[in-house]
């Protein structure tokens, strides 16, 4: 029996995984990966403006709406497990106990690769805090002395998915992934995000333009492979290979 | 019949390809790649101190000795073609005609990937000039209007091989290649460099320590694949992939 | 009735707003802005060496002296409101409750622009912590779910004012402000800082030399506008304009 | 009589000014600026793949086609003067005499601001060479000893317009310009570029997404001004202002 | 009587001071410096894989083993005082009280220079946290209002010692120290680290190759001083000198 | 007989050595160094605005005036030899022959250290070109095959002296030199620069403020050594030391 392939997304708020790596999730799900998505918060305070403009809105109702949207999107993408830690946003903060819960998830999933936010984000400090948490919990998951006896983590790549306003975040993609085969799934998931309809076309534009970059870097006008939709990622760690 | 696989090394001086990517050359040669090495100069003025300390030395004799060493090393590594352009060093400078000769080589080889120096090198301006030439000639080779009718170049990756004193050059490897299977060939090639014997042990140390990095990044103490010798490379352009 | 124009300075210690943006404060006050200055601490432990050298000094007496100086300087500059949060220095630390107090100030002021410290300061970690707080509280003030019903914040520019030893902080000014018309006010405010007399001439030199930079960048020897005193600022966010 | 307002674009190849700052040109033309566009080459060798794929194509015919497209686009945008220096591309190189011709243009135009390429571009060394030329000729134009008696240049801002694959170029916009009022003109100009039809939709996506950035940075969901199309620019030099 | 010369190492885990600055410690000890080593934790959870693989291991036994190794190594190097704060690792975290204990050490030692980790380390967030602590406590130790009456700290250099995988950490050495005279002591100390035997040869290679860098930068093939083993350091602050 | 100590300044224009390292020159001259100053051009076209505003001015008269000023300043500073290569400015360009003349100077002087401009200067491309020349000629001077038989160069430090508008140049000083003992000489030399009187006070301010930085970094308010005037320098290469 072949070994199970897995991946893990650590997302500060409930919708980030859709815009930023929905294609990667759907594509790897189709390839047989079990993709777990961990939403540290619902983005209930800071990323739900449309809901808060409705009369009589409460924090619980916002969270419920955001959870429902996330679940629907996760289903559209073929997510294996959607975990919502509900740790609060704006600002997001994790105690050591909460970090250890993230470590438990990492060790349980044993991801072949992880996905999280850009390293810097002056518009949204929750995003860069989530990346810091991803690095810190990855390190703890590698420690033989943390819950001795558990299977420790290897050295999965941490891919940083595309932030909003990439240049302001100092984010530089080094990997373009062709998501053309699963675009319909990503587009369906995007449309689950009813509270942020103003971003739908924006991220379709992004996917189309990243496909242009895919083609340029796979050969340009002399053999660049056709791609209609793509996603970009920045690797945090070096790759280890047997062929360049 | 399967398509021929090829690679191209652009080296400022005659010995650079040995220390910096000898393992990659030998490994890909064994995998069936035709690896062409283009030495822009022999390093006859600036990298042949030991020879110049001999009495009665002349520029021609230095060049001959450097060429002989390079040929011997190339043979040890399984290089498909060693091209010596003899353009002069310290400083290295290319006219437009000479650049077009490099373009001819690139178009002729149609490399799957290219290898050259680090982007910055304050100790050795020839090195960074060679990288600039690699970028410029790669661009010209992609131009449909340069020698119309010739097969234009696609978009091969440009890997920057390891410079001396990596941190001073701002070089950061993102790819570690396991060269354990071909180490004996690289070691043999290194020993062809009789004029620079003081560097033999240095680059063996480098290969051993890069293997440590290979293991760390392939899984560390929890599954990192054993490797005894490795080389590091920095990619200039993004990768295009179908799976992360 | 025209809309009220406002600005907000977030200063780690009591004197920072004088040296670093006293001119900007006085100038905008003259233009009709209500400028609020928020001092997170008095700098009572770390920036009051002269006071501590006096016999029998106590923490309370230092704070009182620093507050008195700050109030006098604020008056000289035409500050609309001086808020002293007295959160302690060396190190400065804010709990979530204290951050929310800063958010209250931001929402109350609704600043057209904000001013704070450089992003990096290895000599003074309080400074860079204050900038981090400025970014984080700016983000919270933008959240529709934070105290729903309050007027949320737009997207004011965050200007980083000039640190001491600019090059060590990686601070790069992109905006020079001519403060010649209000120099006398800034100079008067500087002289209120009796505990740091060794810095008076230093910051007059800075203002004179920044005026030289103002002239260079406004036209140099061919039309550069005359300026005798200036201040430099680094913008954190892009500008949005209708004309270049 | 009010002083004439002018601007100058220095473009490596004939089409760059359309994609990268066509909106800025049209907008400032409408505001009464005389905008001069200087194309150093036609991009005849490197940026005319579609033309070269036609049978029997010659260098002269490519140049003619490119010139015709550029002229049509310039007219659509309201360009005051289109100057084609025909200096050759891939690689672009300027002799001192040719640099002095650029200096003549700069001095003649006396631009309030200049526009050119990003500072770095490993895909296209002509682009970064053009920026280097822009800096060097701006400096010479400021020299009182260059053609003494001529009106020397002041210190115009140099804006770097948006390159392809921004993140790979290290380009970071600090200024977003609302080009909604002139979008139809830019779109018409884009459609003049018949040889590069594959880029039309790409740059419409860019304009739409930069409008999103414009709105974020002008106030976001709490007052961000509506904009449907925008362009981004990176300033090379600091601004000099009387109000923040 | 000549003034006592002192130095202080702040190390995240118990073994770091051996690999990274054991030579500097031994050399300065021989020169009459009193070198204090402060280990914030034992690295008991995250850097003791070999111990944890033994059956029946407990946290206390790991700590005891690590402490014993550190003490033996410290003795081999001639460390004046080894302080183990046992604050826990993976993650390392200091309360304000614990920071003040570090400040007490700094003030007590009054070091001529300090040594700590690289500024960035995505593999090991404890390392960069320790550097942050070194900067923050250095600042507090300089505050006249912290424990008034105590001798305040001057402005000792903070040297960042060599991390593992230097390029990934953005660490750039600006100082090479010849440790040939004390190599036997460092080698003996390294061999005390029985739990990390896989790193012995690695750090001998590092010391040999840094000696090559020492020679290059002290004169190269034209007078570079012979050195067989060296260590590299990055200075955080500028030097103040009377001769270049 | 003790070995002669020497230093070499490579200056793009005739006045740079005065503003930027006049103190270092005078100080080392007093210490017995023979300091050679090499001015690649007179700055006759680009840095002599005041002269060009005089009626009937010619290039030769400007050069003569600039040379006279430089000679007077050099004498005030105790320069051992002032070499004026008169290679032209705005732009400055060196042929290979001219580079070899610079190499001859370097080999003849055999400097213990070299001084030149910042690595980047968008305001003045001659400045960064001079630095590039300094690096390239330093490398050629180290080549055993360049004029075999001559004494080859070792590995002198290259210090980058302070540019105008330091932050725009990305210049970061790592060394502060106390020039208080020779300030009167530097001030006298500054006053020789009659054509640039607007810079006199500017560079006195710089010297005073760098003295403040000197004191901060030599101990601050707890032992910082008194200094009234200082200069800052950025080292290009690592130092090799026997004590930290």
């Amino acid at each position: 029996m072949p070994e199970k392939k897995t991946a893990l997304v650590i997302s500060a708020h409930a919708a980030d995984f859709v815009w930023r790596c929905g294609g990667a999730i759907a594509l790897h799900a189709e390839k047989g990966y079990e993709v777990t998505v961990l939403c540290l918060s619902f983005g209930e305070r800071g990323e739900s403006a449309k809901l808060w403009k409705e009369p009589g809105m409460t924090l619980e109702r916002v969270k419920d709406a955001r959870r429902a949207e996330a679940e629907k999107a996760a289903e559209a993408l073929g997510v294996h497990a959607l975990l919502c830690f509900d740790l609060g946003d704006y600002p997001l903060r994790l105690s050591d106990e909460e970090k250890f819960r993230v470590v438990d998830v990492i060790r349980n999933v044993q991801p072949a690769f992880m996905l999280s936010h850009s390293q810097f984000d002056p518009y949204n400090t929750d995003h860069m805090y989530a990346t810091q948490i991803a690095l810190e919990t990855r390190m703890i998951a590698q420690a033989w002395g943390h819950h001795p006896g558990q299977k420790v983590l290897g050295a999965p790549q941490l891919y940083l998915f595309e932030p909003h306003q990439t240049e302001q975040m100092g984010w530089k993609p080094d990997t373009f992934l062709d998501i053309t085969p699963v675009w319909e799934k990503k587009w369906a998931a995007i449309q689950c995000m009813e509270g942020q309809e103003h971003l739908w076309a924006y991220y379709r534009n992004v996917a189309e333009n990243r496909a242009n970059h895919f083609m340029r870097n796979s050969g340009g006008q002399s053999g660049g492979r056709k791609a209609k939709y793509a996603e970009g990622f920045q690797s945090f760690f070096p790759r280890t290979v047997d062929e360049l």
Side-chain angles (χ1 to χ4, degrees), chain A:
Chain A
M1 194 183 103
E3 204 182 339
K4 200 175 55 177
K5 291 183 294 183
T6 57
L8 175 64
V9 180
I10 297 182
S11 179
H13 312 112
D16 288 319
F17 72 94
V18 179
W19 318 113
R20 314 198 184 294
C21 63
I25 293 171
L27 191 74
H28 287 82
E30 288 199 355
K31 287 180 192 297
Y33 281 75
E34 290 182 4
V35 183
T36 297
V37 173
L38 170 52
C39 294
L40 298 174
S41 81
F42 292 109
E44 63 272 15
R45 286 163 39 96
E47 311 212 329
S48 307
K50 192 176 164 192
L51 289 165
W52 284 109
K53 292 177 184 174
E54 295 176 18
M57 189 50 60
T58 66
L59 198 66
E60 280 317 305
R61 284 182 52 206
V62 173
K63 284 186 188 179
D64 289 347
R66 295 284 287 181
R67 182 198 298 268
E69 282 182 6
E71 286 175 348
K72 229 170 116 190
E75 194 178 353
L77 296 171
V79 166
H80 173 70
L82 173 68
L83 307 174
C84 294
F85 270 20
D86 191 11
L87 299 172
D89 71 326
Y90 283 61
L92 174 68
R93 282 292 171 275
L94 272 73
S95 67
D96 278 0
E97 298 322 306
E98 291 162 347
K99 288 177 189 174
F100 293 153
R101 285 180 62 203
V102 178
V103 174
D104 289 344
V105 171
I106 295 176
R107 284 207 167 165
N108 196 44
V109 170
Q110 293 284 336
F113 59 86
M114 298 167 65
L115 288 154
S116 196
H117 293 264
S118 62
Q119 207 184 339
F120 182 61
D121 190 335
Y123 291 85
N124 195 314
T125 57
D126 284 5
H127 287 170
M128 55 183 167
Y129 182 73
T131 311
Q132 190 180 317
I133 290 297
L135 283 174
E136 190 175 346
T137 53
R138 178 185 182 271
M139 174 189 79
I140 299 171
Q142 292 173 326
W144 287 75
H146 179 77
H147 291 180
Q150 279 190 355
K151 181 170 180 354
V152 301
L153 183 70
Q157 180 59 275
L158 175 61
Y159 289 106
L160 310 183
F161 45 55
E162 177 157 349
H164 208 83
Q165 297 196 71
T166 59
E167 302 95 356
Q168 308 302 322
M169 315 313 179
W171 178 85
K172 181 184 173 185
D174 57 27
T175 308
F176 290 114
L177 180 73
D178 183 359
I179 61 163
T180 312
V182 296
W183 171 251
E184 290 309 322
K185 290 184 180 175
K186 178 163 183 177
W187 184 238
I190 280 176
Q191 289 170 305
C192 298
M193 299 292 114
E194 294 179 18
Q196 291 164 292
E197 194 171 346
H198 62 291
L199 292 177
W200 295 5
Y202 181 91
Y203 279 104
R204 189 181 51 207
N205 284 354
V206 167
E208 288 172 3
N209 283 13
R210 291 300 175 196
N212 172 286
H213 299 177
F214 183 98
M215 289 186 283
R216 292 232 160 187
N217 287 290
S218 67
Q221 296 193 295
S222 312
R225 214 189 65 191
K226 189 79 186 160
K228 293 182 64 178
Y229 301 95
E231 285 177 345
F233 300 95
Q234 178 178 334
S235 310
F236 218 117
F237 298 100
R239 294 186 303 138
T240 54
V241 301
D242 289 302
E243 186 170 343
L244 292 176

